[in-house]
Amino acid sequence: MALTSNKHVLDWVKECADLCRPDEVVWLDGSEEELAALRRQAVEEGILIKLNEEKLPGCYYHRSNPNDVARVESRTFICCEKQEDAGPTNNWMAPDEMKAILRDIYDGCMTGRKMYVIPYSMSVVGSPFAKYGFELTDSIYVVLNMAIMTRMGKDVYDALGDSPDFIKGLHSAAQMDPEKRYIVHFPQENSIFSVNSAYGGNALLGKKCFALRIASCLGRDEGWLAEHMLILGIQDPQGKITYVCAAFPSACGKTNLAMLIPPEYYRKKGWKCWTVGDDIAWLRPGPDGRLWAVNPENGFFGVAPGTSAKSNPNALESTRKNTIFTNVVLKKDGTVWWEGMDKNPPTDAEDWKGNPWDPASGVKGAHPNSRFTAPAKNCPCVSPEFDNPQGVPISAIIFGGRRARTVPLVYQSKSWAHGVFTGSIMGSEKTAAAEGQVGELRRDPMAMLPFCGYHMADYWQHWLDMEGKISDPPKIFNVNWFRTDEKGNFLWPGFGENLRVLEWILGRCKDSVGAVETPLGYLPRPEDIDLTGLDEVPADTLRELVSVDPAAWKGEVADIRTHYAKFGDKLPQALRDCLKDLESWVG
Ligand code: SAT
Ligand code: MN
């Protein structure tokens, strides 16, 4: 029975049901009883395996279709009316043309199945940041993941009332046919269509599809920002908590920074870190002229491999109850394992495809993109402000990437516009794990390359325009934890030690620490970074880490010019000017 009398919702659900022809439409209320029944059904149908209740209470195991293990950028589309509004970094198709393709694929795709109606909120229901959505899906796995990743429940029907202001998402696992897999956004209709995949970023529509691609368009129209950023609270020895946001491309340690554990020297002094978010931030100007942020999500969809008691104990601890594991190794005792968890791979286990697994075979047991879906509340360092409907005030925005050379450990932009420039030229080098040449540089502006729902240059202009709405804007920084020496050894230890750099950033925010001005921005002097207790970084190395070399930047500047050329006339003048300044520096 429909749980709402909202005509807009009812009409749309009927339209989708008429197209997909499920046997039944099930309106979900998000209650614990309902979810428990769905879990039981998922176990009966072999979708989930119940894990060891003693060791991993409330946890389940799932194997995806082996052809469906990651986001598919090549099949992800932004279908606005005009192609030029989608820009050069998005796939585009005319809305009518795409709708005809989708209609054929969805036609009758749910016959023999149920269609679940998921009511969900991104951010706390009733918060000024909150946006409501419905996802229609034929996948119980998707329902149970959405129940962790979003605020799902019947209060969404109440909060929405009769309003037409909600995001429509139609998902079907269909036949899992990769040739007919589509992830499609219609920003002008606030709607999302996802078919033939059940993978996180493709199918949990609240995440990248809504909270980034659609929300970036809403932010442009309504005067706020939807960003691919973690949110971290840093508590100093005086007990003051300062909040920062940070955007990094994948494989640059976003989750590790979001759950940072201070090194011993800092811990003893009383420093502490609090996680507000690990992937997405929505940022709005507040009444006090500052920029305020919420994490619109309610859980972590984290990469399992490499997560260990050493690398990220907080992330590991987050997965110890009420978590869904996808595509990891399944042990005989009903627990899980993945590469990089510890040095004791199980010898009596099944791999992510369900085959008996011999760790000595050289074949990986967990898929490299295997995941955990864990409630944020499980995290030992989850911020007390996690559910604050007003969000947290942001003092610094940090951009960064993986760069072996050229880019210093940290620098501060000279102004808001210069900070937007810094974000727009972000790049990261490919690791051995990704396809393509190792070391090859991919520009990923604000880490939003696959997630910006409109023309990237218009997005930069929107960032520039935001300055006029915030009288006390965050300072903008760039970091690079990944500088190496000639032999490829990292010059900076990273992980918890990054707090030493964050301390400088906080000092800059309150004007209590020094810097030198360079054409790139403000850099710390070596004495501005506290190295106490960090003998592995000699003074000479730090000096190298915080210096810039115009000769090295000459090639960089040429590459930025090529990157910018893609955006044609839309490239904002302020960014051209910043590039010109750099050009005159490198000569
Ligand atoms: O692949 S997902 O988009 O689901 C997760 C991520 O990349 O953050
Ligand atoms: Mn992400």
Side-chain angles (χ1 to χ4, degrees):
M1 207 190 64
L3 294 180
T4 178
S5 55
N6 182 313
K7 193 173 151 357
H8 310 281
V9 177
L10 293 173
D11 287 353
W12 167 68
V13 171
K14 176 165 186 317
E15 190 189 312
C16 293
D18 287 349
L19 175 63
C20 301
R21 298 197 297 280
D23 293 356
E24 193 187 332
V25 176
V26 182
W27 294 77
L28 300 173
D29 63 18
S31 65
E32 193 37 51
E33 306 80 78
E34 173 188 89
L35 295 174
L38 286 171
R39 288 183 202 111
R40 273 197 303 277
Q41 188 186 336
V43 169
E44 274 162 27
E45 292 179 9
I47 298 164
L48 293 180
I49 294 172
K50 172 94 183 85
L51 293 173
N52 186 317
E53 183 60 24
E54 231 162 80
K55 294 181 177 159
L56 291 171
C59 292
Y60 292 82
Y61 178 84
H62 174 77
R63 286 192 182 100
S64 78
N65 188 312
N67 79 24
D68 185 40
V69 292
R71 275 186 290 107
V72 280
E73 288 174 24
S74 62
R75 309 202 61 93
T76 300
F77 287 79
I78 302 292
C79 295
C80 42
E81 277 306 324
K82 291 198 242 138
Q83 179 162 16
E84 67 175 276
D85 292 337
T89 58
N90 283 311
N91 301 312
W92 176 88
M93 203 186 282
D96 287 346
E97 199 183 325
M98 179 57 89
K99 280 180 188 169
I101 294 175
L102 292 175
R103 217 171 293 125
D104 275 352
I105 300 175
Y106 280 101
D107 190 13
C109 69
M110 295 189 190
T111 299
R113 305 178 188 178
K114 291 177 182 171
M115 182 170 96
Y116 297 97
V117 182
I118 306 172
Y120 69 98
S121 172
M122 298 314 286
S123 174
V124 179
V125 176
S127 151
F129 288 81
K131 296 271 176 197
Y132 307 124
F134 293 89
E135 176 164 353
L136 312 181
T137 180
D138 52 9
S139 160
I140 298 180
Y141 171 75
V142 164
V143 172
L144 294 173
N145 275 273
M146 285 291 283
I148 297 172
M149 293 304 296
T150 72
R151 274 95 175 172
M152 165 184 166
K154 71 173 181 325
D155 48 350
V156 171
Y157 299 115
D158 304 335
L160 183 66
D162 292 329
S163 166
D165 188 12
F166 59 92
I167 308 300
K168 306 173 180 120
L170 177 58
H171 169 257
S172 174
Q175 275 66 53
M176 280 301 178
D177 179 351
E179 304 293 319
K180 293 186 178 167
R181 185 167 291 161
Y182 284 95
I183 321 298
V184 185
H185 310 71
F186 295 94
Q188 285 151 327
E189 299 171 18
N190 282 341
S191 67
I192 306 159
F193 291 77
S194 163
V195 67
N196 279 306
S197 165
Y199 170 77
N202 299 333
L204 310 180
L205 300 186
K207 198 175 179 57
K208 307 296 192 191
C209 299
F210 174 173
L212 289 176
R213 296 194 193 95
I214 295 285
S216 62
C217 297
L218 297 173
R220 170 198 56 192
D221 299 341
E222 299 170 2
W224 53 282
L225 295 164
E227 297 299 326
H228 192 200
M229 290 178 176
L230 64 90
I231 310 170
L232 174 69
I234 307 161
Q235 182 173 334
D236 69 16
Q238 288 72 47
K240 180 174 168 11
I241 303 179
T242 305
Y243 295 92
V244 304
C245 284
F248 304 124
S250 57
C252 294
K254 203 144 112 251
T255 306
N256 290 339
L257 186 63
M259 300 181 185
L260 185 142
I261 295 183
E264 194 180 326
Y265 160 67
Y266 276 77
R267 257 198 323 269
K268 283 200 175 133
K269 286 208 292 185
W271 290 80
K272 226 172 151 9
C273 289
W274 301 101
T275 307
V276 182
D278 77 326
D279 196 36
I280 298 177
W282 283 359
L283 300 130
R284 280 178 185 273
D288 60 352
R290 306 180 71 187
L291 197 57
W292 291 69
V294 294
N295 168 11
E297 300 192 281
N298 204 24
F300 307 126
F301 185 66
V303 179
T307 305
S308 73
K310 245 185 117 178
S311 70
N312 194 335
N314 288 321
L316 191 64
E317 187 58 32
S318 304
T319 68
R320 299 296 91 176
K321 60 180 185 201
N322 304 330
T323 293
I324 299 172
F325 296 93
T326 302
N327 292 344
V328 299
V329 173
L330 178 61
K331 290 166 64 173
K332 270 274 146 52
D333 67 349
T335 63
V336 292
W337 190 85
W338 48 75
E339 279 71 20
M341 179 191 265
D342 55 41
K343 297 215 162 69
N344 308 307
T347 49
D348 189 17
E350 286 172 0
D351 68 10
W352 69 277
K353 290 183 176 164
N355 301 316
W357 181 59
D358 174 8
S361 67
V363 178
K364 287 202 160 67
H367 187 277
N369 195 34
S370 55
R371 297 273 171 165
F372 54 79
T373 317
K377 290 287 157 50
N378 282 1
C379 182
C381 58
V382 69
S383 166
E385 303 299 320
F386 183 78
D387 278 330
N388 189 329
Q390 306 303 325
V392 293
I394 299 302
S395 298
I397 289 174
I398 304 170
F399 294 120
R402 179 183 284 272
R403 300 295 303 268
R405 302 278 141 77
T406 317
V407 180
L409 178 64
V410 59
Y411 64 92
Q412 178 190 353
S413 300
K414 294 189 223 174
S415 64
W416 179 266
H418 185 244
V420 177
F421 172 72
T422 301
S424 77
I425 64 169
M426 255 173 75
S428 206
E429 281 145 13
K430 291 205 170 114
T431 58
E435 59 183 336
Q437 188 121 27
V438 173
E440 191 192 318
L441 183 66
R442 165 165 137 144
R443 298 276 165 200
D444 185 353
M446 283 84 168
M448 283 288 277
L449 188 64
F451 306 121
C452 183
Y454 59 107
H455 196 297
M456 185 65 82
D458 289 336
Y459 163 78
W460 292 334
Q461 186 61 55
H462 175 54
W463 260 85
L464 291 165
D465 293 344
M466 284 298 291
E467 187 180 14
K469 300 182 200 299
I470 336 165
S471 55
D472 186 8
K475 306 269 194 294
I476 303 180
F477 297 82
N478 195 81
V479 299
N480 175 24
W481 317 132
F482 300 95
R483 281 277 286 266
T484 59
D485 65 14
E486 260 63 65
K487 298 199 198 85
N489 304 308
F490 287 114
L491 296 178
W492 180 252
F495 295 97
E497 308 297 346
N498 292 335
L499 183 55
R500 298 170 190 273
V501 175
L502 295 176
E503 187 185 11
W504 181 77
I505 288 176
L506 300 194
R508 292 301 296 166
C509 292
K510 44 180 201 206
D511 275 331
S512 66
V513 63
V516 278
E517 189 173 350
T518 76
L520 199 57
Y522 301 103
L523 271 93
R525 300 164 302 180
E527 62 268 31
D528 294 323
I529 304 271
D530 189 348
L531 288 188
T532 311
L534 187 63
D535 300 337
E536 63 189 283
V537 179
D540 277 355
T541 302
L542 181 60
R543 208 164 301 125
E544 188 183 339
L545 280 166
V546 295
S547 59
V548 276
D549 172 11
W553 273 83
K554 205 172 163 78
E556 185 74 12
V557 165
D559 194 73
I560 296 168
R561 183 151 288 285
T562 309
H563 161 59
Y564 269 3
K566 283 199 225 77
F567 303 98
D569 293 347
K570 285 201 182 227
L571 183 71
Q573 188 58 40
L575 303 188
R576 284 175 210 271
D577 293 344
C578 289
L579 180 56
K580 236 186 244 139
D581 286 349
L582 275 193
E583 272 170 341
S584 54
W585 170 52
V586 300

Coordinates of all heavy atoms in Angstrom, one line a residue, residues 68-133:
D68 N 30.4 -6.9 -12.9 CA 29.8 -5.7 -12.3 C 30.5 -5.3 -11.0 O 29.9 -5.5 -9.9 CB 28.3 -6.0 -12.1 CG 27.5 -4.8 -11.6 OD1 27.7 -3.7 -12.1 OD2 26.6 -5.0 -10.7
V69 N 31.7 -4.8 -11.1 CA 32.5 -4.6 -9.9 C 33.0 -3.2 -9.7 O 33.7 -2.9 -8.8 CB 33.7 -5.5 -10.0 CG1 33.4 -7.0 -9.9 CG2 34.5 -5.3 -11.3
A70 N 32.5 -2.3 -10.6 CA 33.0 -0.9 -10.5 C 32.1 0.1 -11.2 O 31.2 -0.4 -12.0 CB 34.4 -0.8 -11.0
R71 N 32.3 1.4 -11.0 CA 31.6 2.4 -11.8 C 32.0 2.3 -13.2 O 33.1 1.9 -13.6 CB 31.9 3.8 -11.3 CG 31.0 4.2 -10.1 CD 31.3 5.6 -9.7 NE 32.6 5.8 -9.1 CZ 33.6 6.4 -9.7 NH1 33.5 6.9 -10.9 NH2 34.7 6.5 -9.1
V72 N 31.1 2.6 -14.1 CA 31.4 2.5 -15.6 C 31.2 3.9 -16.1 O 30.2 4.3 -16.6 CB 30.5 1.5 -16.3 CG1 31.0 0.1 -16.1 CG2 29.1 1.6 -15.9
E73 N 32.3 4.7 -16.2 CA 32.3 6.0 -16.7 C 31.9 6.1 -18.1 O 31.2 7.0 -18.5 CB 33.6 6.8 -16.4 CG 33.8 7.0 -14.9 CD 35.2 7.6 -14.6 OE1 35.8 8.2 -15.5 OE2 35.6 7.4 -13.5
S74 N 32.3 5.1 -18.9 CA 32.0 5.1 -20.3 C 30.5 5.0 -20.6 O 30.0 5.3 -21.7 CB 32.7 4.0 -21.1 OG 32.3 2.7 -20.5
R75 N 29.7 4.5 -19.6 CA 28.3 4.3 -19.8 C 27.5 5.2 -18.9 O 26.3 5.0 -18.6 CB 27.9 2.8 -19.6 CG 28.8 1.9 -20.4 CD 28.2 0.5 -20.6 NE 26.9 0.6 -21.4 CZ 26.8 0.5 -22.7 NH1 27.9 0.3 -23.4 NH2 25.6 0.6 -23.3
T76 N 28.1 6.2 -18.4 CA 27.5 7.2 -17.5 C 27.2 8.5 -18.3 O 28.1 9.0 -19.0 CB 28.4 7.5 -16.3 OG1 28.6 6.3 -15.6 CG2 27.8 8.5 -15.4
F77 N 26.0 9.0 -18.4 CA 25.6 10.1 -19.2 C 24.9 11.2 -18.5 O 24.3 11.0 -17.5 CB 24.6 9.6 -20.3 CG 25.2 8.7 -21.3 CD1 25.4 7.4 -21.1 CD2 25.5 9.2 -22.6 CE1 26.0 6.6 -22.1 CE2 26.1 8.4 -23.6 CZ 26.3 7.1 -23.3
I78 N 25.2 12.4 -19.0 CA 24.4 13.6 -18.5 C 23.6 14.0 -19.7 O 24.1 14.4 -20.8 CB 25.4 14.7 -18.1 CG1 26.4 14.3 -17.0 CG2 24.6 16.0 -17.7 CD1 25.8 14.1 -15.7
C79 N 22.3 13.9 -19.5 CA 21.4 14.2 -20.7 C 20.6 15.5 -20.4 O 19.4 15.5 -20.0 CB 20.4 13.0 -20.9 SG 21.3 11.6 -21.5
C80 N 21.3 16.6 -20.6 CA 20.6 17.9 -20.5 C 20.2 18.2 -22.0 O 20.7 17.5 -22.9 CB 21.5 19.0 -19.9 SG 23.2 18.9 -20.4
E81 N 19.4 19.3 -22.2 CA 18.9 19.6 -23.5 C 20.1 19.8 -24.5 O 20.2 19.3 -25.6 CB 18.0 20.8 -23.5 CG 16.6 20.5 -23.2 CD 15.9 19.4 -24.1 OE1 16.2 19.4 -25.3 OE2 15.1 18.6 -23.5
K82 N 21.0 20.7 -24.0 CA 22.1 21.1 -25.0 C 23.4 20.4 -24.6 O 23.8 20.5 -23.4 CB 22.3 22.6 -24.9 CG 21.2 23.4 -25.4 CD 21.6 24.9 -25.7 CE 20.8 25.8 -24.9 NZ 21.4 26.9 -24.3
Q83 N 24.1 19.9 -25.6 CA 25.3 19.2 -25.3 C 26.4 20.1 -24.6 O 27.1 19.7 -23.8 CB 25.9 18.6 -26.6 CG 27.2 17.9 -26.4 CD 27.6 17.0 -27.5 OE1 27.1 17.1 -28.6 NE2 28.5 16.1 -27.3
E84 N 26.4 21.4 -25.1 CA 27.4 22.3 -24.5 C 27.2 22.5 -23.0 O 28.2 22.8 -22.3 CB 27.4 23.6 -25.2 CG 26.2 24.4 -25.0 CD 26.3 25.8 -25.6 OE1 26.8 26.7 -25.0 OE2 25.8 25.9 -26.8
D85 N 26.0 22.2 -22.5 CA 25.9 22.4 -21.0 C 26.5 21.2 -20.3 O 26.7 21.3 -19.1 CB 24.4 22.5 -20.7 CG 23.8 23.8 -21.2 OD1 24.6 24.8 -21.4 OD2 22.6 23.9 -21.4
A86 N 26.6 20.0 -20.9 CA 27.3 18.9 -20.3 C 28.8 19.0 -20.3 O 29.5 18.5 -19.4 CB 26.8 17.6 -21.0
G87 N 29.3 19.7 -21.3 CA 30.7 20.0 -21.4 C 31.6 18.8 -21.9 O 31.0 17.7 -22.1
P88 N 32.9 19.1 -22.1 CA 33.7 18.1 -22.7 C 34.1 16.9 -21.9 O 34.7 16.0 -22.4 CB 35.0 19.0 -23.1 CG 35.0 20.1 -22.0 CD 33.6 20.4 -21.7
T89 N 33.8 17.0 -20.6 CA 34.2 15.9 -19.7 C 33.1 14.9 -19.4 O 33.3 13.9 -18.7 CB 34.8 16.5 -18.4 OG1 33.7 17.2 -17.7 CG2 36.0 17.3 -18.6
N90 N 31.9 15.1 -19.9 CA 30.8 14.2 -19.7 C 30.3 13.5 -21.0 O 30.4 14.2 -22.1 CB 29.6 14.9 -19.1 CG 29.8 15.2 -17.6 OD1 30.1 14.3 -16.8 ND2 29.6 16.5 -17.2
N91 N 29.8 12.3 -20.9 CA 29.1 11.7 -22.0 C 27.8 12.4 -22.1 O 27.1 12.6 -21.0 CB 28.9 10.2 -21.9 CG 30.2 9.5 -21.7 OD1 31.1 9.7 -22.5 ND2 30.4 8.6 -20.7
W92 N 27.3 12.7 -23.3 CA 26.0 13.3 -23.5 C 25.2 12.6 -24.5 O 25.8 12.1 -25.5 CB 26.2 14.8 -23.9 CG 24.9 15.5 -24.1 CD1 24.2 16.2 -23.2 CD2 24.3 15.7 -25.4 NE1 23.1 16.7 -23.9 CE2 23.1 16.5 -25.2 CE3 24.6 15.3 -26.7 CZ2 22.3 16.8 -26.3 CZ3 23.7 15.6 -27.8 CH2 22.6 16.4 -27.5
M93 N 23.9 12.6 -24.4 CA 23.0 12.2 -25.5 C 21.8 13.1 -25.3 O 21.4 13.5 -24.2 CB 22.7 10.7 -25.4 CG 22.2 10.1 -26.7 SD 21.6 8.4 -26.5 CE 23.1 7.5 -26.3
A94 N 21.1 13.4 -26.5 CA 19.9 14.1 -26.4 C 18.8 13.4 -25.5 O 18.7 12.2 -25.7 CB 19.3 14.4 -27.8
P95 N 18.1 14.1 -24.6 CA 17.2 13.4 -23.7 C 16.2 12.5 -24.4 O 16.0 11.3 -24.0 CB 16.5 14.6 -23.0 CG 17.4 15.7 -23.1 CD 18.2 15.5 -24.3
D96 N 15.6 12.9 -25.5 CA 14.6 12.0 -26.1 C 15.2 10.8 -26.7 O 14.6 9.7 -26.6 CB 13.9 12.8 -27.3 CG 12.9 13.8 -26.7 OD1 12.6 13.7 -25.4 OD2 12.5 14.7 -27.4
E97 N 16.4 10.9 -27.3 CA 17.1 9.8 -27.8 C 17.4 8.8 -26.7 O 17.2 7.6 -26.9 CB 18.4 10.3 -28.5 CG 19.0 9.4 -29.5 CD 20.3 10.0 -30.0 OE1 20.4 11.3 -30.1 OE2 21.3 9.2 -30.3
M98 N 17.9 9.3 -25.6 CA 18.3 8.4 -24.5 C 17.0 7.7 -23.9 O 17.0 6.6 -23.6 CB 19.0 9.2 -23.4 CG 19.4 8.4 -22.2 SD 20.4 6.9 -22.6 CE 22.1 7.6 -22.5
K99 N 16.0 8.5 -23.8 CA 14.7 8.0 -23.2 C 14.2 6.8 -24.1 O 13.7 5.8 -23.5 CB 13.7 9.0 -23.1 CG 13.9 9.9 -21.8 CD 12.9 11.0 -21.7 CE 13.3 11.9 -20.6 NZ 12.5 13.1 -20.5
A100 N 14.4 6.9 -25.4 CA 13.9 5.8 -26.3 C 14.7 4.6 -26.0 O 14.1 3.5 -25.9 CB 14.0 6.2 -27.7
I101 N 16.0 4.7 -25.8 CA 16.9 3.6 -25.5 C 16.5 2.9 -24.2 O 16.3 1.7 -24.1 CB 18.3 4.0 -25.5 CG1 18.8 4.4 -26.9 CG2 19.2 2.9 -25.0 CD1 20.2 5.0 -26.9
L102 N 16.3 3.8 -23.2 CA 16.0 3.3 -21.9 C 14.6 2.6 -21.8 O 14.5 1.6 -21.2 CB 16.0 4.5 -20.9 CG 17.4 5.1 -20.6 CD1 17.3 6.3 -19.7 CD2 18.3 4.1 -20.0
R103 N 13.7 3.2 -22.5 CA 12.3 2.6 -22.5 C 12.4 1.2 -23.0 O 11.7 0.3 -22.4 CB 11.4 3.4 -23.4 CG 10.0 3.6 -22.9 CD 9.1 4.6 -23.7 NE 9.6 5.9 -23.6 CZ 9.9 6.7 -24.6 NH1 9.8 6.3 -25.9 NH2 10.2 8.0 -24.4
D104 N 13.1 0.9 -24.0 CA 13.2 -0.5 -24.5 C 13.9 -1.4 -23.4 O 13.4 -2.5 -23.3 CB 14.2 -0.5 -25.7 CG 13.4 -0.2 -27.0 OD1 12.1 -0.1 -26.9 OD2 14.0 -0.1 -28.1
I105 N 14.9 -0.9 -22.8 CA 15.6 -1.7 -21.8 C 14.7 -2.0 -20.6 O 14.7 -3.1 -20.0 CB 16.9 -1.1 -21.4 CG1 17.8 -1.0 -22.6 CG2 17.6 -2.0 -20.4 CD1 19.1 -0.2 -22.4
Y106 N 14.0 -1.0 -20.1 CA 13.2 -1.1 -18.9 C 11.9 -1.8 -19.1 O 11.3 -2.3 -18.2 CB 12.9 0.3 -18.3 CG 14.0 0.9 -17.5 CD1 14.8 1.9 -18.0 CD2 14.2 0.5 -16.2 CE1 15.8 2.4 -17.3 CE2 15.2 1.1 -15.4 CZ 16.0 2.1 -16.0 OH 17.0 2.6 -15.2
D107 N 11.5 -1.9 -20.4 CA 10.2 -2.5 -20.7 C 10.0 -3.9 -20.2 O 10.7 -4.8 -20.6 CB 10.0 -2.5 -22.3 CG 8.6 -2.8 -22.7 OD1 7.7 -2.8 -21.9 OD2 8.4 -3.2 -23.9
G108 N 9.2 -4.0 -19.1 CA 8.9 -5.3 -18.6 C 10.0 -5.9 -17.8 O 10.0 -7.1 -17.4
C109 N 11.1 -5.1 -17.4 CA 12.3 -5.7 -16.8 C 12.1 -6.2 -15.4 O 12.9 -7.0 -14.9 CB 13.4 -4.7 -16.8 SG 13.1 -3.3 -15.7
M110 N 10.9 -5.9 -14.8 CA 10.7 -6.3 -13.4 C 9.6 -7.4 -13.3 O 9.2 -7.8 -12.2 CB 10.4 -5.2 -12.5 CG 11.5 -4.2 -12.3 SD 11.2 -2.9 -11.0 CE 12.5 -1.8 -11.3
T111 N 9.2 -7.9 -14.4 CA 8.2 -9.0 -14.4 C 8.8 -10.2 -13.7 O 10.0 -10.6 -13.9 CB 7.8 -9.4 -15.8 OG1 7.2 -8.2 -16.4 CG2 6.8 -10.5 -15.8
G112 N 8.0 -10.7 -12.7 CA 8.6 -11.8 -11.9 C 9.3 -11.3 -10.7 O 9.8 -12.1 -9.9
R113 N 9.4 -10.0 -10.6 CA 10.1 -9.4 -9.4 C 9.2 -8.4 -8.7 O 8.2 -8.0 -9.3 CB 11.4 -8.7 -9.9 CG 12.3 -9.6 -10.7 CD 13.5 -8.7 -11.1 NE 14.3 -9.5 -12.0 CZ 15.4 -9.0 -12.6 NH1 15.8 -7.8 -12.4 NH2 16.1 -9.8 -13.5
K114 N 9.7 -8.0 -7.6 CA 9.1 -6.9 -6.9 C 9.8 -5.6 -7.2 O 11.0 -5.5 -7.3 CB 9.1 -7.1 -5.4 CG 8.2 -8.3 -4.9 CD 8.3 -8.5 -3.5 CE 7.4 -9.7 -3.1 NZ 7.6 -10.1 -1.7
M115 N 9.0 -4.5 -7.1 CA 9.6 -3.2 -7.2 C 9.5 -2.5 -5.8 O 8.5 -2.3 -5.3 CB 8.9 -2.3 -8.3 CG 9.6 -0.9 -8.4 SD 8.9 0.0 -9.9 CE 7.7 0.9 -9.1
Y116 N 10.7 -2.2 -5.2 CA 10.7 -1.6 -3.9 C 10.8 -0.1 -4.1 O 11.6 0.4 -4.9 CB 11.9 -2.1 -3.1 CG 11.9 -3.6 -2.8 CD1 12.6 -4.5 -3.7 CD2 11.1 -4.1 -1.8 CE1 12.5 -5.9 -3.4 CE2 11.0 -5.5 -1.6 CZ 11.7 -6.3 -2.4 OH 11.7 -7.7 -2.1
V117 N 10.0 0.6 -3.3 CA 10.1 2.1 -3.2 C 10.9 2.5 -2.0 O 10.4 2.3 -0.9 CB 8.7 2.7 -3.2 CG1 8.7 4.2 -3.2 CG2 7.8 2.1 -4.3
I118 N 12.1 3.0 -2.2 CA 12.9 3.4 -1.1 C 12.8 5.0 -0.9 O 13.2 5.7 -1.7 CB 14.4 3.1 -1.4 CG1 14.6 1.7 -1.8 CG2 15.3 3.5 -0.2 CD1 16.1 1.4 -2.2
P119 N 12.2 5.4 0.3 CA 12.2 6.8 0.6 C 13.5 7.2 1.3 O 13.8 6.5 2.3 CB 11.0 7.0 1.5 CG 10.9 5.6 2.2 CD 11.6 4.6 1.3
Y120 N 14.2 8.1 0.8 CA 15.5 8.4 1.6 C 15.8 9.9 1.5 O 15.3 10.7 0.7 CB 16.7 7.6 1.0 CG 17.1 8.0 -0.4 CD1 18.2 8.9 -0.6 CD2 16.4 7.5 -1.5 CE1 18.6 9.2 -1.9 CE2 16.8 7.9 -2.8 CZ 17.9 8.7 -3.0 OH 18.3 9.1 -4.3
S121 N 16.6 10.3 2.5 CA 17.0 11.7 2.6 C 18.5 11.7 2.5 O 19.2 10.9 3.2 CB 16.6 12.3 3.9 OG 17.1 13.6 4.1
M122 N 19.1 12.7 1.8 CA 20.5 12.9 1.8 C 20.7 14.1 2.8 O 20.1 15.2 2.7 CB 21.1 13.3 0.5 CG 20.9 12.2 -0.6 SD 21.4 10.5 0.0 CE 23.2 10.7 0.0
S123 N 21.4 13.8 3.9 CA 21.6 14.7 5.1 C 20.4 14.4 6.0 O 19.4 13.7 5.6 CB 21.7 16.1 4.7 OG 21.7 17.0 5.9
V124 N 20.5 14.9 7.2 CA 19.4 14.7 8.3 C 18.1 15.2 7.8 O 18.0 16.3 7.3 CB 19.9 15.4 9.6 CG1 18.8 15.2 10.7 CG2 21.2 14.9 10.0
V125 N 17.0 14.4 8.0 CA 15.7 14.8 7.6 C 15.4 16.1 8.3 O 15.6 16.2 9.5 CB 14.6 13.7 8.0 CG1 13.2 14.2 7.7 CG2 14.9 12.4 7.2
G126 N 14.9 17.1 7.6 CA 14.5 18.4 8.2 C 15.6 19.4 8.2 O 15.4 20.6 8.5
S127 N 16.9 19.0 8.0 CA 18.0 19.9 7.9 C 17.8 20.9 6.8 O 17.3 20.5 5.7 CB 19.3 19.1 7.8 OG 20.3 19.9 7.1
P128 N 18.4 22.1 6.9 CA 18.3 23.0 5.8 C 19.1 22.5 4.6 O 18.9 22.9 3.4 CB 19.0 24.3 6.3 CG 19.3 24.1 7.7 CD 19.0 22.7 8.1
F129 N 20.0 21.6 4.8 CA 20.8 21.0 3.7 C 20.0 19.8 3.0 O 20.3 19.4 1.9 CB 22.1 20.4 4.2 CG 23.1 21.3 4.6 CD1 23.1 22.0 5.9 CD2 24.2 21.6 3.8 CE1 24.1 22.8 6.3 CE2 25.2 22.5 4.2 CZ 25.1 23.1 5.4
A130 N 19.0 19.2 3.7 CA 18.4 18.0 3.3 C 17.8 18.0 1.9 O 17.1 19.0 1.6 CB 17.5 17.5 4.3
K131 N 18.0 17.0 1.1 CA 17.2 16.8 -0.1 C 16.7 15.4 -0.1 O 17.4 14.4 0.3 CB 18.2 16.9 -1.3 CG 18.8 18.3 -1.5 CD 17.9 19.2 -2.3 CE 18.5 20.6 -2.4 NZ 17.5 21.6 -2.8
Y132 N 15.5 15.2 -0.6 CA 14.8 13.9 -0.5 C 14.8 13.3 -1.9 O 14.8 13.9 -2.9 CB 13.4 14.1 0.0 CG 13.4 14.9 1.3 CD1 12.6 16.1 1.5 CD2 14.2 14.4 2.4 CE1 12.7 16.8 2.7 CE2 14.2 15.1 3.6 CZ 13.5 16.3 3.7 OH 13.5 17.0 4.9
G133 N 14.8 11.9 -1.8 CA 14.8 11.2 -3.0 C 14.0 9.9 -2.8 O 13.8 9.4 -1.7

